[in-house]
Amino acid sequence: MNKKKCTKWALSLLGTAALLAGCGAVGSTTENTESDKLQVVTTFYPMYDFTKQVAQDDADVSMLLEAGMEVHSFEPSSQMIAEIQDADVFIYNSPEMETWVPDVLASIDTSDMVVICASEAITLLEYEGEAHAHEHESDVEESETGHTHTVDPHVWLDPVLAQTEVTTIAEGLAEADADHAENYLKNAETYIGQLNELDEAYRAAFEGAENRTFVTQHAAFAYLAARYDLNQISVTGLNAEVEPSAAALATLSDYVKANNISHIYFENNASSQTAETLSEEVGVELAVLSPLEGITEEDQESGSDYISVMLDNLEALKQSIK
């Protein structure tokens, strides 16, 4: 295990942050100037949903990355950087997940905003390659953009660590907006109660299970597996866009056959081609297991959120964990 500390800047609200030099007004900037509410920019869906649950109607919360955008290899546009600059509060998961954040924060004036690294209080797990199923060339995975991962940033997929992130977000919002601090902390307490119920549902579902192994395309579920004493086997690595080698696939195929694996899980917002190939080769079923890196606006409008998708994940995992 490796303790990774996120850098936290900030910290006084002396006024509205100035526009980036040379940047014109963008859509959300106009909204910000017309609202007296705290202006909060988040990176991707879990950070957005956690923040909305805490802020409720006391802050305007926006999200930079839409569903379908690859969080690991994302690079922000100049307009997005302007939105961050104009925010009172900026919230992200970790520099290991949003690898672009440190450079952006170094390039803008953060003196009048609160920057919240939601995973700051969490010890990140070392990335162990392809989860013991087969040899990996290195414990460090490098994407096409040159970014590397030596730790696993997917902490939000553990309902208990999600509570830690919610607490960190609530404390940051309370610091940024003292007038509504009590509301933020109270809302966080309520939501943490719901996350506790989610945790209890997972514990009850897997209690006494004999088969505790599941195979997933994206190695995003190590924290969830560690929490509930499960064994995650991944087809690809931390970045779902990185394709496994032919040798790695062959070894995994042998593992699936030898261990009577019934399902291979893939994420709904990424290509499932690799998982489909392996599924056809070994004759097992495919099922969706969402890493919650993005939920479409349509799904959100129909009621999908962090907890509902995590409950869908639970039902999916029950097909393998018995």
Side-chain angles (χ1 to χ4, degrees):
M1 300 193 50
N2 182 28
K3 184 71 173 178
K4 289 284 183 175
K5 287 288 187 181
C6 305
T7 304
K8 189 176 182 181
W9 286 261
L11 295 173
S12 58
L13 287 173
L14 302 177
T16 304
L19 284 169
L20 282 176
C23 290
V26 294
S28 63
T29 303
T30 301
E31 294 175 7
N32 291 356
T33 58
E34 293 177 351
S35 175
D36 293 331
K37 293 182 180 180
L38 193 72
Q39 300 300 308
V40 183
V41 172
T42 64
T43 50
F44 67 114
Y45 183 75
M47 301 301 98
Y48 172 77
D49 194 30
F50 293 168
T51 304
K52 285 287 289 183
Q53 296 292 338
V54 172
Q56 297 293 334
D57 295 328
D58 290 324
D60 291 330
V61 182
S62 63
M63 177 174 60
L64 291 177
L65 280 78
E66 299 176 356
M69 291 184 175
E70 175 49 53
V71 182
H72 297 267
S73 57
F74 174 78
E75 293 294 340
S77 66
S78 58
Q79 177 173 315
M80 290 176 176
I81 295 174
E83 292 179 27
I84 295 171
Q85 173 73 86
D86 290 339
D88 299 316
V89 180
F90 174 62
I91 300 173
Y92 70 111
N93 182 71
S94 68
E96 290 77 25
M97 186 66 186
E98 300 98 317
T99 55
W100 50 273
V101 165
D103 287 342
V104 168
L105 293 177
S107 72
I108 65 175
D109 180 8
T110 62
S111 60
D112 290 344
M113 72 168 67
V114 170
V115 178
I116 301 172
C117 174
S119 67
E120 183 176 37
I122 297 171
T123 299
L124 301 186
L125 294 174
E126 293 282 358
Y127 174 53
E128 298 180 352
E130 310 259 320
H132 312 299
H134 47 274
E135 294 294 327
H136 195 274
E137 294 179 359
S138 171
D139 283 341
V140 178
E141 177 186 332
E142 184 168 353
S143 70
E144 294 179 0
T145 63
H147 297 140
T148 61
H149 294 286
T150 57
V151 295
D152 185 343
H154 298 85
V155 294
W156 64 90
L157 289 166
D158 174 347
V160 176
L161 295 182
Q163 296 172 42
T164 301
E165 293 206 297
V166 168
T167 297
T168 298
I169 289 169
E171 291 173 349
L173 293 181
E175 176 185 354
D177 182 12
D179 289 344
H180 298 99
E182 184 176 350
N183 290 350
Y184 297 138
L185 298 175
K186 185 180 298 183
N187 293 339
E189 183 179 356
T190 298
Y191 188 55
I192 286 171
Q194 298 174 36
L195 294 174
N196 267 322
E197 292 178 1
L198 178 66
D199 171 49
E200 290 170 2
Y202 268 80
R203 292 182 188 278
F206 301 141
E207 183 178 4
E210 295 182 3
N211 177 31
R212 310 189 74 85
T213 296
F214 64 100
V215 176
T216 177
Q217 175 168 321
H218 184 187
F221 301 92
Y223 292 94
L224 184 145
R227 178 66 59 189
Y228 304 111
D229 191 25
L230 307 179
N231 180 31
Q232 171 191 244
I233 303 298
S234 67
V235 179
T236 64
L238 292 175
N239 188 336
E241 292 184 334
V242 177
E243 295 293 329
S245 66
L249 274 177
T251 303
L252 182 56
S253 176
D254 291 341
Y255 178 90
V256 169
K257 293 175 183 176
N259 290 274
N260 297 316
I261 301 298
S262 62
H263 289 77
I264 295 176
Y265 298 97
F266 68 97
E267 61 180 274
N268 47 355
N269 287 329
S271 171
S272 61
Q273 181 175 352
T274 301
E276 289 172 355
T277 299
L278 183 60
S279 171
E280 291 173 1
E281 180 178 334
V282 296
V284 299
E285 296 183 38
L286 287 175
V288 172
L289 197 62
S290 173
L292 271 152
E293 291 175 6
I295 296 181
T296 65
E297 186 174 345
E298 181 180 1
D299 286 341
Q300 291 178 55
E301 290 175 352
S302 66
S304 293
D305 58 13
Y306 173 84
I307 289 179
S308 71
V309 175
M310 285 293 289
L311 288 172
D312 289 343
N313 282 347
L314 175 57
E315 291 304 312
L317 282 170
K318 286 180 182 179
Q319 298 175 82
S320 295
I321 311 300
K322 300 178 181 178

